[in-house]
């Protein structure tokens, strides 16, 4: 807990028992732009700024993990110009993040199949991973070309391969071992999943990992999401009773 923060402030958040892992479906960029008569890409640019603010804030308050949904396996269905604008924004974001990496010291990981991503962007992703891999304190996972079903399919394929080649045994597979085949290996499950923009669905996000996550929905569109909104979600989360099927 940062020294300047009281245990509980006016937000109602108890900073001594924050969720360890918060995941966010960064949705509503297009509607945000439409409301302002702007092209959808302007919404994505504004959303990228919000991501920067929220990621920095998560580190500041002492969150261990933040996972964000940036681009799904289904988002390729969008017009080519929109897809390339999103990739361009990611490139810009990573270039700026690399510049400030030694100052911000946020560890960055990427969940998703990166093979269809342009080589130049992939190289940036690798560089970001490499530079930040020793940082401690807060890990940000960016889900890019990520789909929960795709992740499980890949795990099934990899496990089957290990069985065929004699490295694994189907009858002794545990949940923990299966987790080791996922993009999220080594990362605890999200405690809290936040979806802005008013949609009440998961849209193929962290299907395996969110089995017992608490959900928080808000009508606020992602570009308007703020530190205060995040604290509101955390305060709400702290008022819940997690029973995991028990009593
Ligand atoms: C989320 O915002 C960003 C991505 C899915 C890449 P949207 O672009 O889905 O915004 P809406 O849902 O159309 O408002
Ligand atoms: C989910 O948002 C994916 C991301 C935020 C990256 P979508 O806008 O793609 O989800 P749907 O289509 O409304 O379910
Ligand atoms: Mg959307």
């Amino acid at each position: 807990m940062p020294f300047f923060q009281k245990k509980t402030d006016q937000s109602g958040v108890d900073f001594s028992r924050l969720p360890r892992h918060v995941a966010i479906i960064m949705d509503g960029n297009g509607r945000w732009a439409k409301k302002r008569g702007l092209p959808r890409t302007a919404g994505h640019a504004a959303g990228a700024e919000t991501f920067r603010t929220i990621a920095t804030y998560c580190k500041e308050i002492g969150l261990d993990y933040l996972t964000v949904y940036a681009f799904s396996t289904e988002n390729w269905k969008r017009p080519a110009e929109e897809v390339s604008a999103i990739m361009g924004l990611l490139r810009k974001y990573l270039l700026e993040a690399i510049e400030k990496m030694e100052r911000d010291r946020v560890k960055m990981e990427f969940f998703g199949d990166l093979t269809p991503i342009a080589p130049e962007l992939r190289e940036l992703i690798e560089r970001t991973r490499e530079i930040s891999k020793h940082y401690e304190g807060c890990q940000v996972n960016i889900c890019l070309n990520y789909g929960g079903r795709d992740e499980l399919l890949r795990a099934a394929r990899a496990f089957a391969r290990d069985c065929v080649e004699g490295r694994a045994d189907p009858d002794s597979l545990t949940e923990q071992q299966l987790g080791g085949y996922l993009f999220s290996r080594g990362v605890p499950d999200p405690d809290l999943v936040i979806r802005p923009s008013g949609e009440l669905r998961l849209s193929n996000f962290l299907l395996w990992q969110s089995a017992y996550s608490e959900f928080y929905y808000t009508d606020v569109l992602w570009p308007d999401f703020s530190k205060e909104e995040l604290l509101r979600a955390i305060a709400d989360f702290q008022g819940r009773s997690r029973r995991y099927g028990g009593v």
Side-chain angles (χ1 to χ4, degrees):
M1 177 171 49
F3 67 91
F4 55 84
Q5 221 133 30
K6 293 202 295 284
K7 195 174 173 216
T8 308
D9 68 2
Q10 70 280 6
S11 67
V13 169
D14 178 348
F15 288 93
S16 70
R17 45 177 208 97
L18 288 174
R20 234 188 129 195
H21 183 177
V22 173
I24 306 181
I25 301 173
M26 304 191 291
D27 196 18
N29 296 349
R31 278 162 284 172
W32 182 92
K34 193 170 178 207
K35 259 175 50 185
R36 287 163 177 74
L38 298 169
R40 294 179 55 84
T41 49
H44 296 310
E49 282 312 312
T50 303
F51 167 57
R52 197 194 305 276
T53 308
I54 295 298
T56 311
Y57 188 57
C58 285
K59 164 108 185 177
E60 217 175 288
I61 61 175
L63 221 64
D64 289 341
Y65 297 93
L66 169 70
T67 300
V68 293
Y69 206 2
F71 193 88
S72 74
T73 45
E74 288 73 35
N75 287 146
W76 297 104
K77 292 179 194 159
R78 297 185 179 207
E81 312 81 70
E82 182 171 342
V83 170
S84 75
I86 293 170
M87 297 299 163
L89 281 164
L90 187 64
R91 178 179 172 275
K92 180 170 169 273
Y93 176 85
L94 292 180
L95 281 169
E96 288 165 11
I98 288 171
E99 285 266 298
K100 289 181 284 179
M101 215 146 234
E102 270 305 306
R103 188 197 72 191
D104 295 345
R105 301 187 73 78
V106 171
K107 181 173 173 182
M108 306 242 291
E109 255 307 330
F110 295 82
F111 295 173
D113 170 21
L114 301 181
T115 49
I117 304 296
E120 193 214 355
L121 184 52
R122 261 165 70 185
E123 225 173 89
L124 268 182
I125 288 172
E126 279 320 315
R127 229 161 83 204
T128 312
R129 257 186 182 147
E130 192 52 37
I131 304 173
S132 71
K133 73 178 180 204
H134 304 297
Y135 295 161
E136 280 170 22
C138 184
Q139 175 170 332
V140 174
N141 307 305
I142 299 181
C143 296
L144 179 61
N145 188 29
Y146 173 89
R149 287 191 170 182
D150 180 61
E151 181 180 43
L152 288 166
L153 205 55
R154 279 160 189 285
R157 287 194 199 115
F159 176 67
R161 224 175 288 124
D162 282 349
C163 289
V164 169
E165 289 166 17
R167 289 188 296 268
D169 161 37
D171 293 320
S172 63
L173 180 67
T174 63
E175 287 189 8
Q176 207 191 356
Q177 279 166 348
L178 183 61
Y181 286 93
L182 304 179
F183 293 121
S184 59
R185 68 188 74 85
V187 174
D189 290 341
D191 301 292
L192 170 64
V193 175
I194 301 174
R195 182 159 194 164
S197 93
E199 307 298 352
L200 305 180
R201 55 177 170 260
L202 214 42
S203 302
N204 209 5
F205 189 45
L206 303 178
L207 297 182
W208 172 271
Q209 299 86 340
S210 64
Y212 268 103
S213 303
E214 294 295 326
F215 284 84
Y216 181 87
Y217 296 99
T218 166
D219 286 334
V220 171
L221 303 171
W222 175 249
D224 290 329
F225 197 86
S226 58
K227 297 172 185 175
E228 292 71 30
E229 283 297 331
L230 178 69
L231 294 182
R232 207 166 292 144
I234 294 175
D236 193 272
F237 164 85
Q238 289 180 333
R240 312 242 186 124
S241 154
R242 300 180 82 184
R243 290 184 292 278
Y244 300 96
V247 285

